[in-house]
Amino acid sequence: MSLSRRRFLQFSGAGLAVLPLLKAYGSGHQPFQHGVASGDPLTDRVILWTRISPSSDPFFQSTVPYSWQVALDPEMRLLVNSGGGVTGPEADYTIKVDASGLQPGTTYYYRFYSNSMDSPIGRTRTLPIGHLDRLRFAVTSCSNYPMGYFNVYREIALRPDLDVVLHLGDYLYEYGPGGFGTNAGLEREPIPAKEIVTVQDYRQRYAQYRSDPDLQEVHRQHPFICVWDDHETTNNAWAGGAENHNPERGEGDWFDRRSVANRVYFEWMPIRDNGILDRFGDRAIYRGFRFGNLVDLMMLDTRIAARDKQANWFDQSSANDPARSLLGQRQEEWLYRGLTRSQSDGVRWRVLGQQVMMAQLTLVRDFSINMDQWDGYTAARSRLFDHISQNNIENFVVLTGDIHSSWAWDLASNPFSILEYGPLTGRGALGGEFVTPGVSSSFLDKSHLTDVAAIALDGLIPHLKWVDVTQRGYLLMDISHSRAKAHWYHVNTVRSKNYSTTLARMYKQKAGYNHIQRAWSESTGPGDAPPPAPGYGALAQNAIAALRTRYKG
């Protein structure tokens, strides 16, 4: 049901000031071509996002009016908050509303209105307070549009039983035609048809990704908590440069490019500006979320804010240099304070959402294979592990993306010493690490790790419990006060819309044990999950029909 112009003006903050613009906006133009999204929930508010695709009318290239509503029901009858404003080219016509005045642990529905048209209705949820029995969320990363269809996003969208979705980076890829993943032959070639460098380039690439119906649907059904990895800027980025930044090819100054990528990320993602700047003046993304007394979620930036340049291959001396940093001093101190406070506050689980693998991916101590992950910054890892050990921090879980494959690890300071770590009992472990596979990105670009993974399957890496390097998919975390259980769901193809899904493996970490073990039974969702956002197009209608038969709790 569309709102009348009169109703729009009644609940819009813009009031009579927008009336001339409303008249000027051409009728029949669909303004909401990139869907809706929500993210960064707190106990009383959540970020709501959309973009208004402007009319071709030259008059309408400056400002566009909009309004928004939040309701308790999918039919949008029980309104709890509303407002309005204008957007324009300075923000690429994106809209971000920090909708406040909400109740903790509550599911809400929302929509926008512009050009006499409603947006799709989205569903979101605030953080709980006090005692919380259970939390369920999906973990995902590495969605390469040209490489394959976003079947994984579709699968996550189909689940009504999630509280939130964690996206751990590589939401998009920067390459032009011929780059990684762009020769898949699926008529999903990158736009613009070049490597993205400028503000307009990055905006066009986000717009292309957000045109995908599966990506739109997963955002519409679930709030997101996101961090970036490297490809939101460019491959193998660090604070002061990147492997794939080439000024000699006309790609300009690195710091201009990282600032451009930062700006557009905050335009297009449903993320709250936390007011923290890195040392170069760009906005930082590390931040925390508390889910009642059950989970403290700390989202890290292991990529852009303060990372030192990756060490060269086989340069273990540089990898071990205590002066080199992955997080930077400011973020490290923030993390240590957060872990200690969470333990003292009696929150059951401490969960890190971060980009690159933390566990030692090697056959022997002090022989790093991949310098782009924590193995290339061993002193930073040791400082974190020492803080956990010395402060008796328990129930520590790390969630990781980046590597386009599925891994389950014990985390230990020295897993290669039988005196310090027991592979069978978990003695000496500090927590568990669960790595999500990619949405569509393959492991092929990580080919130098394939042999190590194959050897690991023979049990020669003592703290590695399981690995699969071939399948795309996502991770489902089901957390209670007694255990944190990880489920890996894999799709059999991303080259066709006709696909199947398999529950590949499960591991759990029992509260108080600080190591992981095999799990054998799938955790079912709650029987009273809130209804999904109502249908808006064929995808949503098919999704709602599938929900009734697939996830009944």
Side-chain angles (χ1 to χ4, degrees):
M1 178 182 71
S2 294
L3 298 174
S4 68
R5 182 175 300 170
R6 184 173 184 176
R7 283 191 61 201
F8 166 76
L9 292 172
Q10 285 173 342
F11 70 74
S12 168
L16 294 176
V18 303
L19 186 57
L21 293 176
L22 285 171
K23 291 180 178 178
Y25 204 177
S27 62
H29 173 75
Q30 172 51 256
F32 301 106
Q33 297 176 19
H34 298 98
V36 298
S38 68
D40 274 17
L42 299 179
T43 57
D44 67 340
R45 64 190 61 225
V46 65
I47 296 292
L48 308 179
W49 180 96
T50 192
R51 180 178 187 264
I52 296 179
S53 298
S55 166
S56 58
D57 188 332
F59 177 84
F60 205 70
Q61 297 304 304
S62 55
T63 54
V64 183
Y66 66 88
S67 59
W68 56 272
Q69 295 176 313
V70 178
L72 286 166
D73 61 314
E75 294 76 26
M76 301 297 296
R77 294 175 182 144
L78 304 174
L79 296 182
V80 298
N81 203 353
S82 61
V86 295
T87 185
E90 70 285 347
D92 197 23
Y93 299 94
T94 59
I95 297 168
K96 287 170 69 172
V97 173
D98 200 352
S100 61
L102 308 181
Q103 295 299 308
T106 302
T107 295
Y108 291 96
Y109 301 84
Y110 64 93
R111 67 180 169 191
F112 294 86
Y113 180 81
S114 186
N115 192 31
S116 301
M117 294 186 182
D118 294 338
S119 75
I121 294 173
R123 183 180 68 161
T124 191
R125 186 170 179 84
T126 53
L127 299 186
I129 59 174
H131 181 76
L132 180 65
D133 289 326
R134 188 180 185 190
L135 180 67
R136 281 169 73 87
F137 55 90
V139 186
T140 186
S141 70
C142 304
S143 45
N144 189 318
Y145 185 91
M147 185 167 276
Y149 295 113
F150 290 164
N151 297 333
V152 170
Y153 284 147
R154 177 186 286 258
E155 284 297 295
I156 299 172
L158 288 173
R159 304 197 70 113
D161 55 349
L162 303 178
D163 295 287
V164 71
V165 173
L166 304 190
H167 199 293
L168 300 182
D170 290 347
Y171 186 88
L172 51 66
Y173 284 72
E174 81 281 12
Y175 301 108
F180 171 61
T182 63
N183 298 310
L186 299 177
E187 297 184 358
R188 291 168 67 91
E189 290 302 303
I191 298 173
K194 64 171 187 171
E195 184 172 328
I196 54 176
V197 176
T198 68
V199 169
Q200 187 60 26
D201 292 344
Y202 281 95
R203 286 172 169 173
Q204 283 186 273
R205 191 62 57 85
Y206 276 98
Q208 179 184 36
Y209 275 63
R210 282 290 184 85
S211 71
D212 185 275
D214 297 314
L215 180 52
Q216 287 191 19
E217 187 66 6
V218 73
H219 272 299
R220 195 173 74 89
Q221 295 294 349
H222 304 297
F224 270 52
I225 296 175
C226 305
V227 288
W228 55 54
D229 195 11
D230 52 341
H231 291 288
E232 287 88 348
T233 307
T234 192
N235 186 54
N236 282 0
W238 54 284
E243 175 271 332
N244 192 32
H245 180 70
N246 303 288
E248 70 279 4
R249 298 179 187 174
E251 293 178 1
D253 179 76
W254 162 252
F255 295 100
D256 290 341
R257 186 177 187 179
R258 83 193 294 272
S259 293
V260 161
N262 180 290
R263 171 184 173 180
V264 179
Y265 185 89
F266 273 86
E267 289 175 350
W268 277 82
M269 300 300 290
I271 181 174
R272 181 179 286 104
D273 187 345
N274 63 11
I276 300 175
L277 301 179
D278 64 27
R279 69 178 189 266
F280 302 107
D282 292 326
R283 284 170 289 191
I285 58 168
Y286 59 88
R287 61 209 192 279
F289 302 87
R290 176 165 289 187
F291 294 82
N293 67 343
L294 184 59
V295 170
D296 265 325
L297 171 66
M298 286 158 268
M299 302 294 283
L300 302 185
D301 181 358
T302 62
R303 180 59 67 181
I304 297 293
R307 175 200 276 252
D308 287 313
K309 186 177 182 180
Q310 296 88 339
N312 294 326
W313 289 105
F314 309 116
D315 184 1
Q316 195 63 44
S317 176
S318 292
N320 294 343
D321 184 351
R324 298 179 70 250
S325 180
L326 188 64
L327 302 178
Q329 182 178 353
R330 188 177 182 183
Q331 187 178 184
E332 277 195 21
E333 292 174 351
W334 169 84
L335 173 59
Y336 300 161
R337 287 194 305 269
L339 291 169
T340 303
R341 182 173 58 249
S342 176
Q343 180 85 9
S344 65
D345 287 349
V347 178
R348 178 70 74 180
W349 295 93
R350 279 141 292 285
V351 178
L352 303 189
Q354 53 105 53
Q355 295 86 349
V356 293
M357 198 128 70
M358 184 175 290
Q360 301 92 335
L361 178 58
T362 180
L363 301 180
V364 294
R365 186 177 185 178
D366 290 334
F367 186 76
S368 299
I369 295 171
N370 184 1
M371 296 296 186
D372 191 51
Q373 57 193 49
W374 284 78
D375 275 345
Y377 305 82
T378 61
R381 181 172 56 204
S382 294
R383 289 192 295 270
L384 173 58
F385 286 177
D386 287 347
H387 179 84
I388 292 170
S389 178
Q390 293 166 8
N391 291 275
N392 299 313
I393 292 172
E394 295 187 328
N395 303 328
F396 176 69
V397 173
V398 175
L399 304 174
T400 300
D402 178 68
I403 202 167
H404 313 167
S405 44
S406 305
W407 307 71
W409 298 89
D410 272 349
L411 293 172
S413 295
N414 183 10
F416 305 102
S417 168
I418 60 174
L419 299 178
E420 298 181 51
Y421 171 71
L424 298 180
T425 65
R427 173 181 48 84
L430 301 171
E433 180 175 17
F434 306 121
V435 183
T436 182
V439 171
S440 58
S441 296
S442 73
F443 193 73
L444 296 176
D445 67 325
K446 312 286 185 181
S447 58
H448 58 283
L449 304 178
T450 305
D451 291 341
V452 177
I455 295 172
L457 290 172
D458 293 331
L460 296 183
I461 298 182
H463 54 306
L464 177 60
K465 305 308 176 183
W466 176 67
V467 59
D468 181 289
V469 299
T470 62
Q471 301 299 313
R472 281 87 156 191
Y474 69 98
L475 184 64
L476 172 71
M477 295 298 301
D478 188 288
I479 302 179
S480 68
H481 284 268
S482 63
R483 87 290 182 273
K485 186 186 289 187
H487 308 66
W488 282 265
Y489 290 92
H490 290 161
V491 298
N492 69 328
T493 183
V494 295
R495 296 188 61 82
S496 170
K497 291 277 190 176
N498 297 316
Y499 67 93
S500 60
T501 305
T502 301
L503 175 56
R505 190 65 64 102
M506 294 169 287
Y507 277 85
K508 64 183 177 182
Q509 182 174 329
K510 292 183 179 180
Y513 284 81
N514 300 326
H515 68 91
I516 69 172
Q517 56 188 279
R518 184 80 179 268
W520 300 98
S521 61
E522 181 178 10
S523 299
T524 57
D528 58 348
Y536 196 92
L539 172 64
Q541 296 293 346
N542 293 338
I544 291 171
L547 287 170
R548 298 192 175 110
T549 59
R550 293 190 52 191
Y551 299 116
K552 296 182 179 180

